[in-house]
Amino acid sequence: MNIKTLKKNGSLVISLLGELDESVAEYTRKNIDKIILSERFDNVVFDMSGLTFMDSTGIGVLLGRYKLIKKLGGIAQISGSNKQIDRVLTMSGLYTIMEKIS
């Protein structure tokens, strides 16, 4: 799992690259939290275009980051998910709390 950041149009874009599963969940949580707490943007976009696999552990990672962003007064959004990732996010209900953007 690689994590890249980009500041774009007033938003912090966090790009997730690789697989998001149990083997990288703790690493991913810690690094994203560190980024969110140090950058302090009102809008955080999770770019999933580089994500090749995600399981239920990944849903938990995203849900926890959503709660942190919301607690800090921000908005979390998701972009760029492929069909498999999009299906997981839809079935989990994550799109009901995190807006899907193009």
Side-chain angles (χ1 to χ4, degrees):
M1 168 62 61
N2 287 317
I3 302 167
K4 294 186 178 182
T5 62
L6 171 71
K7 298 167 187 171
K8 183 177 178 181
N9 299 329
S11 296
L12 174 64
V13 178
I14 300 175
S15 298
L16 304 176
L17 309 162
E19 298 184 356
L20 181 51
D21 58 18
E22 187 175 1
S23 66
V24 296
E26 188 61 26
Y27 164 84
T28 305
R29 274 188 203 100
K30 286 180 182 178
N31 282 289
I32 293 175
D33 284 355
K34 185 177 176 182
I35 292 165
I36 291 169
L37 292 170
S38 67
E39 296 292 336
R40 293 291 182 117
F41 274 76
D42 290 334
N43 190 44
V44 178
V45 178
F46 290 96
D47 176 13
M48 311 295 244
S49 61
L51 204 60
T52 57
F53 175 81
M54 183 173 67
D55 63 10
S56 60
T57 309
I59 295 298
V61 170
L62 290 174
L63 183 59
R65 293 341 89 211
Y66 162 78
K67 289 178 180 178
L68 174 61
I69 293 163
K70 186 173 178 175
K71 181 179 177 182
L72 295 171
I75 297 169
Q77 298 173 313
I78 297 173
S79 73
S81 54
N82 65 35
K83 287 184 180 183
Q84 186 265 337
I85 303 297
D86 192 57
R87 184 171 178 235
V88 171
L89 295 170
T90 299
M91 289 181 5
S92 71
L94 208 58
Y95 285 141
T96 62
I97 60 172
M98 294 175 72
E99 178 186 6
K100 177 182 177 180
I101 60 173
S102 51

